[in-house]
Amino acid sequence: MRFSLLPREDKFFEDFNTQADLIAQSARVLREICEDWSDHEAKVKHISELEHLSDEIVHTVVVRLNKTFVTPVDREDIHAITSDLDDILDYIHGCAIRMNLFKIDKPTPQAIELSRVLEKSTEVVVQGVKALPTFSDIGPLTKQIQTLEKEGDAIYRKALADLFDTGDPIFIIKWKEIYDNFETAIDSCEDVYDVLEGVVLKHA
Amino acid sequence: MRFSLLPREDKFFEDFNTQADLIAQSARVLREICEDWSDHEAKVKHISELEHLSDEIVHTVVVRLNKTFVTPVDREDIHAITSDLDDILDYIHGCAIRMNLFKIDKPTPQAIELSRVLEKSTEVVVQGVKALPTFSDIGPLTKQIQTLEKEGDAIYRKALADLFDTGDPIFIIKWKEIYDNFETAIDSCEDVYDVLEGVVLKHA
Amino acid sequence: MRFSLLPREDKFFEDFNTQADLIAQSARVLREICEDWSDHEAKVKHISELEHLSDEIVHTVVVRLNKTFVTPVDREDIHAITSDLDDILDYIHGCAIRMNLFKIDKPTPQAIELSRVLEKSTEVVVQGVKALPTFSDIGPLTKQIQTLEKEGDAIYRKALADLFDTGDPIFIIKWKEIYDNFETAIDSCEDVYDVLEGVVLKHA
């Protein structure tokens, strides 16, 4: 990409990559929070900072989009990619701040499992975004993300059943909301792939 | 519509009709689930399949929109209609999967009532979408959808009051979320009419 | 603005002002509801009417946007401003109807505090929208809205901790949803400023 004649356009791809890296970073920290609850406040704060950086990139992308006449992919798609990527980080952040806010004792085994699937999903997002400028076939990555989504869904369903089995309403209120955020975060990794697949299709 | 000179444009109307039919079909299955809880897993799966078909149509519409220069109605409206229709099916699906996921004993009488109002609302959506290509006055249909929304709202409020009266927190957690999905599904049928009314107004 | 040569365009600014006034009015009524629970049903109904008026303005703005070729600010921004303003009123309305719907005894002290911060936030929104036609620097107002958002967030976190400490699951279910609406309402006042700042930046 270094010698491109269209420097401004390439910046969109660069920003997507930065956003995807922030997502993978925050998912890794979230997994670390779940595996080791010590120092969780500092770790949650770290995710908040990463989320803030992502917000700034979205802002940059939207401003640049308004000033760019020829875009490397359709305007709607640029908008969809940046905002879908931002959504993922919002949900990751949502998991982290809720665990903090609800003053939970420690993450449940199901939360640990979900955090691992989420981390893997964000790594596939990084790869999909990296492949975008070549518009190459991302079919195998799409299959990976779908497999992870199914895996996450199975863990989520089991987690919810276990949760209701505790019979502890306040515990249920707190963890149901956290699990919902995990499940939506994993789903939103698949949503980005819908847009990426659409873009590849148009340029095929 | 068969001999239209603008075949590609008409496809938008066809797709809206297909989406509306999928919605009405899924609302019928949801009402059947509520009236007869036997075999509910198979019925919920059926709704998931209908929801998946709707997703594919949304995808087709968006791709076609990107390739079509002259559209029969404003691009934003095409986008709004297809995504609002998809929202309805998402909420219907949301009701169904939650009843399954929360392992409820059997649907409450209030859920049965809500499912009937929802089914009727989706039938009015089918009629509104069918009327779209002629841009004819849909005022009477709009009134019907508003009446159904009010009816649904009254049932929802009563259902919530009854629910809190049970004093059973876990039962409340589960059914509150299901009732909220029903209420939003019915509301979203009225939302589509906002867009349809707007389109008719522009072509008046 | 009275002698403008661009009457139709200026109407957008007028509508934003009207929307902002409706927001501030409804936040004032909500604060009154929280401070004095007597006659709450009539007051909630008042907010519902204000919310309905806002819906009509959004509709007017969107219709006019479709008929206007030259807009005073970018089309996306007009759309974003009117819909972000509408969101604020929706969340204010959400607080009010839930207090009514959940048949609460009386507002909690934390709800009163949140309603005061929300009211102040909406007054800053009024000022920001009023400044828009001159595209003048709104930095000081942005700082005010950010300070209010932080203040609201601190109250919200404390409110949630107090809430879980009650150990009363049904009380928690009801108030958690109400507090969430307050917090989102306050957040959404800050969201409007993101768009306003963007518009000012483009015209700098």
Side-chain angles (χ1 to χ4, degrees):
Chain A
M1 305 298 292
R2 194 173 278 158
F3 302 105
S4 167
L5 291 168
L6 302 162
R8 194 144 78 163
E9 301 181 359
D10 288 350
K11 290 224 169 83
F12 288 114
F13 294 128
E14 265 174 46
D15 285 336
F16 296 157
N17 277 313
T18 312
Q19 269 190 292
D21 285 339
L22 291 171
I23 290 166
Q25 236 177 302
S26 62
R28 195 175 62 235
V29 178
L30 181 60
R31 194 253 309 145
E32 287 167 3
I33 291 174
C34 290
E35 287 181 349
D36 175 9
W37 187 235
S38 67
D39 265 330
H40 65 269
E41 297 213 355
K43 292 175 196 159
V44 172
K45 210 183 154 192
H46 185 190
I47 294 180
S48 294
E49 288 159 4
L50 297 170
E51 195 249 346
H52 189 68
L53 289 175
S54 172
D55 281 348
E56 285 178 8
I57 298 175
V58 175
H59 185 75
T60 310
V61 169
V62 171
V63 168
R64 190 183 312 114
L65 197 55
N66 275 306
K67 295 184 174 166
T68 310
F69 289 101
V70 183
T71 52
V73 302
D74 283 352
R75 313 181 76 80
E76 310 87 83
D77 292 325
I78 290 176
H79 206 278
I81 294 169
T82 194
S83 87
D84 278 15
L85 290 173
D86 195 51
D87 283 350
I88 302 175
L89 197 25
D90 276 350
Y91 293 119
I92 293 173
H93 185 228
C95 298
I97 53 168
R98 273 170 185 82
M99 286 199 277
N100 200 22
L101 195 59
F102 297 166
K103 298 179 199 282
I104 58 156
D105 283 335
K106 64 169 199 290
T108 62
Q110 294 87 342
I112 300 175
E113 282 186 76
L114 286 168
S115 74
R116 288 175 186 160
V117 174
L118 177 53
E119 187 185 15
K120 282 185 204 161
S121 302
T122 62
E123 286 160 4
V124 180
V125 168
V126 169
Q127 292 179 64
V129 167
K130 201 172 282 176
L132 190 62
T134 61
F135 304 118
S136 56
D137 176 29
I138 53 170
L141 292 169
T142 303
K143 260 177 204 146
Q144 276 184 48
I145 207 83
Q146 286 168 343
T147 305
L148 286 164
E149 192 275 328
K150 277 200 180 69
E151 204 180 314
D153 193 53
I155 300 171
Y156 169 74
R157 283 161 177 272
K158 180 74 173 53
L160 227 57
D162 293 348
L163 190 58
F164 282 119
D165 282 347
T166 66
D168 178 345
I170 298 181
F171 189 81
I172 292 172
I173 292 169
K174 293 180 176 182
W175 279 101
K176 182 165 184 313
E177 197 169 307
I178 298 170
Y179 291 156
D180 283 351
N181 265 271
F182 268 109
E183 203 253 350
T184 315
I186 296 169
D187 275 2
S188 63
C189 291
E190 201 188 358
D191 290 344
V192 164
Y193 264 84
D194 286 344
V195 187
L196 297 181
E197 279 281 9
V199 172
V200 171
L201 198 81
K202 278 189 222 168
H203 289 82
Chain B
M1 305 298 293
R2 195 173 277 157
F3 302 105
S4 167
L5 292 168
L6 302 162
R8 193 144 77 164
E9 301 181 1
D10 288 351
K11 290 223 168 85
F12 289 114
F13 295 127
E14 266 175 46
D15 284 337
F16 296 157
N17 277 312
T18 312
Q19 269 190 293
D21 285 339
L22 291 171
I23 290 166
Q25 237 178 301
S26 62
R28 195 175 61 236
V29 178
L30 181 60
R31 194 254 307 145
E32 287 167 3
I33 291 174
C34 290
E35 287 181 349
D36 174 10
W37 187 234
S38 66
D39 264 331
H40 64 270
E41 297 215 354
K43 292 174 196 159
V44 172
K45 210 183 153 191
H46 186 189
I47 294 181
S48 293
E49 288 160 4
L50 297 170
E51 196 250 345
H52 189 68
L53 288 175
S54 173
D55 282 347
E56 284 178 7
I57 297 175
V58 175
H59 185 74
T60 309
V61 168
V62 171
V63 169
R64 192 183 310 114
L65 197 53
N66 275 306
K67 296 185 174 166
T68 310
F69 290 100
V70 183
T71 52
V73 303
D74 283 350
R75 313 181 76 80
E76 310 88 83
D77 292 325
I78 290 177
H79 206 277
I81 294 169
T82 194
S83 86
D84 278 14
L85 290 174
D86 194 51
D87 284 349
I88 303 175
L89 197 26
D90 276 349
Y91 293 119
I92 293 172
H93 186 228
C95 297
I97 53 167
R98 274 172 185 80
M99 286 199 277
N100 200 22
L101 195 59
F102 297 166
K103 297 178 199 279
I104 59 157
D105 282 337
K106 64 169 200 290
T108 63
Q110 294 89 340
I112 300 175
E113 282 187 76
L114 286 167
S115 74
R116 287 174 186 159
V117 174
L118 177 53
E119 187 184 15
K120 281 184 205 161
S121 302
T122 62
E123 286 160 4
V124 180
V125 168
V126 169
Q127 290 179 65
V129 167
K130 202 174 280 174
L132 191 63
T134 62
F135 304 117
S136 56
D137 177 30
I138 53 169
L141 293 170
T142 303
K143 261 179 205 142
Q144 275 184 48
I145 207 85
Q146 287 167 343
T147 305
L148 286 165
E149 191 275 328
K150 278 202 180 66
E151 203 179 314
D153 193 53
I155 300 170
Y156 169 74
R157 281 161 176 273
K158 180 76 173 53
L160 226 57
D162 293 349
L163 189 58
F164 283 120
D165 282 347
T166 64
D168 178 345
I170 298 181
F171 189 80
I172 292 172
I173 293 170
K174 293 180 175 180
W175 278 100
K176 183 167 184 313
E177 196 168 310
I178 299 170
Y179 290 157
D180 283 352
N181 264 271
F182 268 110
E183 204 253 349
T184 315
I186 296 169
D187 275 3
S188 64
C189 291
E190 201 188 358
D191 290 344
V192 163
Y193 263 85
D194 286 343
V195 187
L196 297 180
E197 279 282 7
V199 172
V200 171
L201 198 79
K202 279 188 222 170
H203 289 83
Chain C
M1 306 297 293
R2 195 172 277 156
F3 302 105
S4 166
L5 291 168
L6 302 163
R8 193 143 77 164
E9 301 180 0
D10 287 351
K11 289 222 168 83
F12 289 114
F13 294 128
E14 267 174 45
D15 284 337
F16 296 157
N17 277 311
T18 312
Q19 268 190 293
D21 285 339
L22 291 170
I23 290 166
Q25 236 178 302
S26 62
R28 196 175 60 238
V29 178
L30 181 61
R31 193 254 308 144
E32 287 167 4
I33 291 174
C34 290
E35 288 180 349
D36 175 9
W37 187 235
S38 68
D39 264 332
H40 64 270
E41 297 214 353
K43 293 175 196 159
V44 172
K45 210 183 154 193
H46 185 190
I47 294 180
S48 294
E49 288 159 5
L50 298 170
E51 195 250 344
H52 189 69
L53 288 176
S54 172
D55 282 348
E56 285 177 7
I57 298 176
V58 175
H59 185 75
T60 309
V61 169
V62 172
V63 168
R64 190 184 312 114
L65 197 54
N66 276 305
K67 294 184 174 165
T68 310
F69 290 99
V70 184
T71 53
V73 302
D74 284 351
R75 314 181 75 82
E76 311 88 81
D77 292 326
I78 291 177
H79 206 277
I81 294 168
T82 195
S83 89
D84 278 14
L85 290 173
D86 195 50
D87 284 349
I88 302 174
L89 197 24
D90 277 349
Y91 293 119
I92 294 173
H93 185 229
C95 297
I97 54 167
R98 273 171 185 81
M99 286 199 277
N100 201 23
L101 195 59
F102 297 165
K103 297 179 198 282
I104 59 156
D105 282 337
K106 64 169 200 289
T108 62
Q110 294 88 340
I112 299 174
E113 282 187 76
L114 286 167
S115 74
R116 287 176 185 157
V117 174
L118 176 54
E119 187 185 15
K120 282 184 205 162
S121 303
T122 61
E123 285 160 5
V124 180
V125 168
V126 169
Q127 292 180 62
V129 168
K130 201 173 281 173
L132 190 63
T134 62
F135 304 115
S136 55
D137 176 30
I138 54 169
L141 293 169
T142 303
K143 260 177 205 144
Q144 276 184 49
I145 207 84
Q146 287 167 342
T147 305
L148 287 164
E149 192 274 330
K150 278 203 180 67
E151 204 180 314
D153 193 53
I155 301 170
Y156 169 75
R157 282 160 177 273
K158 180 74 173 55
L160 227 56
D162 293 349
L163 189 57
F164 282 120
D165 282 347
T166 66
D168 178 344
I170 298 180
F171 189 79
I172 293 173
I173 292 170
K174 292 179 176 180
W175 279 101
K176 182 166 185 312
E177 196 169 310
I178 298 169
Y179 290 157
D180 284 352
N181 265 273
F182 268 109
E183 204 254 349
T184 315
I186 296 170
D187 276 2
S188 64
C189 291
E190 201 188 358
D191 290 344
V192 164
Y193 263 84
D194 286 343
V195 187
L196 296 180
E197 279 283 5
V199 172
V200 170
L201 198 80
K202 280 189 222 168
H203 289 82

